[in-house]
């Protein structure tokens, strides 16, 4: 037996015979919606605030150094400044 011709698979012919579909047409347009509860909003805000607090240093070393330098100056601590500071402390405590 003799084979006259073997026809191979032509990939271009296979692609031309495929019926193409338009994906955009097949999808329905709709709108998605989510709702967030008040509790979830409060938790998100408290999480954010705790992150900010964790990243903020407890002590501002630069301000402490400025105050130390001022206190070393004998002219800085005068009776008026001491009275003003005492008044601010008492006001902070509502006195």
């Amino acid at each position: 037996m003799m084979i006259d011709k073997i026809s191979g698979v032509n990939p271009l012919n296979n692609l031309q015979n495929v019926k193409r579909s338009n994906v955009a047409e097949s999808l329905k347009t709709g709108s998605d919606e989510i709702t967030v509860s008040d509790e979830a909003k409060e938790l998100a805000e408290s999480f954010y605030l705790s992150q900010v607090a964790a990243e903020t240093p407890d002590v501002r070393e630069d301000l402490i150094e400025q105050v130390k330098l001022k206190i070393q100056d004998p002219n800085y601590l005068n009776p008026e400044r001491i009275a003003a500071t005492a008044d601010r402390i008492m006001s902070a405590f509502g006195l």
Side-chain angles (χ1 to χ4, degrees):
M1 174 185 234
M2 183 169 189
I3 301 175
D4 289 334
K5 183 177 180 185
I6 300 178
S7 61
V9 177
N10 186 346
L12 292 177
N13 286 339
N14 288 341
L15 287 177
Q16 290 171 351
N17 294 333
V18 173
K19 186 176 182 181
R20 295 179 186 217
S21 65
N22 190 349
V23 176
E25 289 177 10
S26 67
L27 295 177
K28 292 182 179 178
T29 58
S31 63
D32 292 336
E33 184 177 315
I34 63 166
T35 56
V36 180
S37 68
D38 291 337
E39 182 183 5
K41 291 176 186 176
E42 289 174 9
L43 287 172
E45 183 178 2
S46 67
F47 176 76
Y48 170 74
L49 293 176
S50 68
Q51 290 295 98
V52 169
E55 294 171 0
T56 304
D58 291 336
V59 178
R60 296 204 33 207
E61 296 292 333
D62 57 333
L63 293 178
I64 292 173
E65 288 303 317
Q66 289 176 8
V67 171
K68 283 181 180 180
L69 290 174
K70 287 180 181 179
I71 291 174
Q72 290 174 356
D73 180 11
N75 296 325
Y76 180 75
L77 292 177
N78 55 38
E80 293 84 23
R81 191 170 313 270
I82 293 171
T85 303
D87 289 341
R88 281 193 227 147
I89 292 171
M90 294 178 70
S91 294
F93 288 106
L95 303 173

